[in-house]
Amino acid sequence: MDIRPSAEIPWGEGSLVPCIVVDNHKLQAVMTVAALRQAVIEPTDLENPKILEADSRKRVAAEVRKLVQRSVTNAKRTNVAVYGQYILEGIRGERALWDTPTMQLFREDPLELYYLPDNKGIGFLLRPGDFLVNTDGETQRLAWAWASSREPSVDQVKVAVTIAHGKSVDWARQIFHDFNLLGVRPNVAVGISMDSSDLATRLARELEDQSPVLRRRVMQTGRQLGKNSPELLTVSALRSAVVTTLLGRSGLALGSKPVGDKLAGVDVDAVRKAIMATWLPLLEMLQPEFNRRNDTVISAPVIMAGLGMLVHQTMPNPPRAITTPLLTLEDLRSRLSKVRWDRTLIVDGKAISPWEGIAGKITPSGAFSIGGIKEYGHAVLEALAEPTSDAGMKVRLLQAVTAG
C-alpha cells in the first residue's frame, strides 16, 4: 500500500479527506453531506440521457454505476422521501432514537493516500473529476440530498462511509449482490417489536408490561404461535388491537405500517390512560380464553383487531369521532359476556364453528382456519358489537350453527 509523505500533498488540486486505513483496498472516513454529494454524483442524474450527453464525468460514472446498482424506480424512489423525512426529524430533535448506517462506496482506481502534516493521520485525495459510487446505501445518499434540498444546513452534517478502492467492477457487482441478497430481512413481528418510534408499538409494549395476563407471554419474534408455544399471542396481534383501538375501523387497513400523523391533535397521554383503563380489566376477563388458546380464536390477530375496534368506542373524542357512540367498560363486559370463543364444537359428530364466515372458514379436514384482518375484521366487529345481529347471535349460540 502506497502512502505518500505529507510533503508531496498537491495542495490546491483536490480535497484531502482524513481517513482510517483498514487494509490495502478499504478505508473509513467521515464526510459532510456536501462533500458526499460532490463525490457521489446524484444517481438520478446518471439515469438522465440529456445530462449525460453534456457531462463526460457523469457519463463515465454512469457506466460504472449501472453495473453495481439498481435503477431509481418504484419502491426505491418512493422510499427516498420517507427516509429523507426520517433524517430531518432526527436532525431537528423530533426523534429521540435515530441513526443512519455507514454507507458503502466504491472506486475502481486506487485512491491517492497521504500522511497528513505533523503525522496527524492519513488522508485520501479526491481530485476534480474523481467520483465514487454506492455499492450499498444509495437510497440513503438520495435521502440526504432530499433533506438538504429542504434544509440547506443539512449539508454540514457528517456521515460515516466505508470506501473500497483499487478493486474491479466485477468485485463491486458481487458485493452489491451479497449485501442485498444474502442478508436476512427481519419479519414483520421483529420489525414491530424493535420499533420504539411508533406510538401503537409503544402502547402495545406498555400494555404487555402492565397486564398480569400478558406479561412475558407475548411472542416478540415469530409471526405465528406454535401449538406448544408458552406465549398467549404475538406482538403483531397485540399491536393490531392497539391500532384499531386508536383508529377504529380505519386501523384495519394499516397493517404493520406506523400510525404516523393519523393521531395529530390527539391528547396521547389521555388516550394512553383510557387504553390501560379498558384493556387491562378486559384482558383479565378474557384470561380463561387465552389460557386455552389452542381451542379458541381469542389470540388471532383478526379477533384482537375486532376487540380493538370495540374498545375504540370507549376512547375520548378524539380519536373517537363524535358520531361514534361512547361505550363504557361495563357496556363491553355485557356485550362480550356470552360470546363463545371456541374454534370448533362437535355437534352430532360433526365439527362446527360459531365463527365460520365471520373470522374464517372450516377446512375440508374439519379444522377451523382463521382469516385475515382486512377480509374478516368488519364481520368480527359486527359479531362482537351487535349481539342481536345474525353474526352476533351466531357467536353467542343464540341461533343454530350448522356444519359447513
Side-chain angles (χ1 to χ4, degrees), residues 10 12-15 38 57 107 112 125-131:
E13 294 186 18
S15 300
Q38 178 64 28
R57 172 176 176 252
R107 173 182 163 88
E112 296 179 53
L125 185 71
L126 280 179
R127 297 176 181 271
D130 289 346
F131 63 86

Side-chain angles (χ1 to χ4, degrees), residues 146-285:
W146 185 96
S148 174
S149 69
R150 283 149 181 82
E151 291 192 14
S153 61
V154 170
D155 267 347
Q156 303 311 310
V157 174
K158 295 178 180 179
V159 294
V161 300
T162 295
I163 303 174
H165 63 107
K167 304 284 277 186
S168 70
V169 172
D170 285 343
W171 175 90
R173 187 188 311 178
Q174 184 64 46
I175 294 305
F176 172 82
H177 166 275
D178 295 349
F179 283 174
N180 285 276
L181 296 185
L182 296 184
V184 178
R185 182 183 177 91
N187 64 39
V188 172
V190 173
I192 289 172
S193 67
M194 296 294 182
D195 186 4
S196 299
S197 65
D198 178 62
L199 175 62
T201 300
R202 294 202 306 271
L203 289 173
R205 285 179 179 171
E206 183 175 351
L207 182 56
E208 177 193 356
D209 290 340
Q210 291 198 21
S211 169
V213 179
L214 297 184
R215 191 177 303 127
R216 292 187 294 277
R217 299 199 70 184
V218 175
M219 180 178 282
Q220 302 293 332
T221 57
R223 298 179 61 184
Q224 195 169 14
L225 295 172
K227 186 175 182 179
N228 298 318
S229 298
E231 295 89 355
L232 299 179
L233 76 169
T234 65
V235 68
S236 300
L238 181 58
R239 183 181 180 276
S240 294
V242 171
V243 168
T244 53
T245 297
L246 293 170
L247 302 178
R249 291 175 182 266
S250 64
L252 294 175
L254 196 66
S256 61
K257 296 176 183 176
V259 173
D261 60 358
K262 293 178 177 59
L263 294 173
V266 170
D267 185 337
V268 173
D269 190 55
V271 170
R272 183 190 65 78
K273 291 178 181 177
I275 286 176
M276 300 304 153
T278 303
W279 266 108
L280 291 174
L282 190 60
L283 288 167
E284 186 176 354
M285 172 186 172

Side-chain angles (χ1 to χ4, degrees), residues 68 79 82 94 117 141-142 149 163 165 192 235 268 301 373 380 392:
V68 301
N79 198 38
V82 176
E94 296 169 6
R141 155 64 178 84
L142 289 159
S149 69
I163 303 174
H165 63 107
I192 289 172
V235 68
V268 173
I373 288 177
V380 170

Side-chain angles (χ1 to χ4, degrees), residues 21-211:
V21 174
V22 178
D23 59 33
N24 289 344
H25 297 284
K26 183 183 293 185
L27 56 84
Q28 294 179 323
V30 174
M31 304 175 75
T32 65
V33 172
L36 177 73
R37 292 172 58 206
Q38 178 64 28
V40 182
I41 300 170
E42 173 64 32
T44 54
D45 284 358
L46 303 184
E47 296 177 6
N48 187 321
K50 291 184 178 179
I51 292 177
L52 297 182
E53 184 179 355
D55 192 318
S56 60
R57 172 176 176 252
K58 291 181 177 179
R59 283 199 301 274
V60 175
E63 288 300 313
V64 175
R65 178 185 172 273
K66 73 180 183 181
L67 298 175
V68 301
Q69 266 294 337
R70 59 191 175 97
S71 299
V72 184
T73 57
N74 303 330
K76 186 173 181 178
R77 185 184 301 276
T78 301
N79 198 38
V80 169
V82 176
Y83 203 161
Q85 186 62 37
Y86 169 86
I87 287 171
L88 282 181
E89 290 171 3
I91 291 171
R92 292 168 180 162
E94 296 169 6
R95 284 180 175 267
L97 305 174
W98 79 286
D99 201 359
T100 57
T102 300
M103 262 183 282
Q104 306 294 322
L105 306 179
F106 167 73
R107 173 182 163 88
E108 187 174 12
D109 295 330
L111 286 166
E112 296 179 53
L113 299 176
Y114 295 90
Y115 288 104
L116 298 178
D118 300 323
N119 293 317
K120 291 184 177 180
I122 297 170
F124 68 91
L125 185 71
L126 280 179
R127 297 176 181 271
D130 289 346
F131 63 86
L132 305 168
V133 297
N134 285 96
T135 49
D136 194 45
E138 188 174 77
T139 303
Q140 184 189 156
R141 155 64 178 84
L142 289 159
W144 279 111
W146 185 96
S148 174
S149 69
R150 283 149 181 82
E151 291 192 14
S153 61
V154 170
D155 267 347
Q156 303 311 310
V157 174
K158 295 178 180 179
V159 294
V161 300
T162 295
I163 303 174
H165 63 107
K167 304 284 277 186
S168 70
V169 172
D170 285 343
W171 175 90
R173 187 188 311 178
Q174 184 64 46
I175 294 305
F176 172 82
H177 166 275
D178 295 349
F179 283 174
N180 285 276
L181 296 185
L182 296 184
V184 178
R185 182 183 177 91
N187 64 39
V188 172
V190 173
I192 289 172
S193 67
M194 296 294 182
D195 186 4
S196 299
S197 65
D198 178 62
L199 175 62
T201 300
R202 294 202 306 271
L203 289 173
R205 285 179 179 171
E206 183 175 351
L207 182 56
E208 177 193 356
D209 290 340
Q210 291 198 21
S211 169

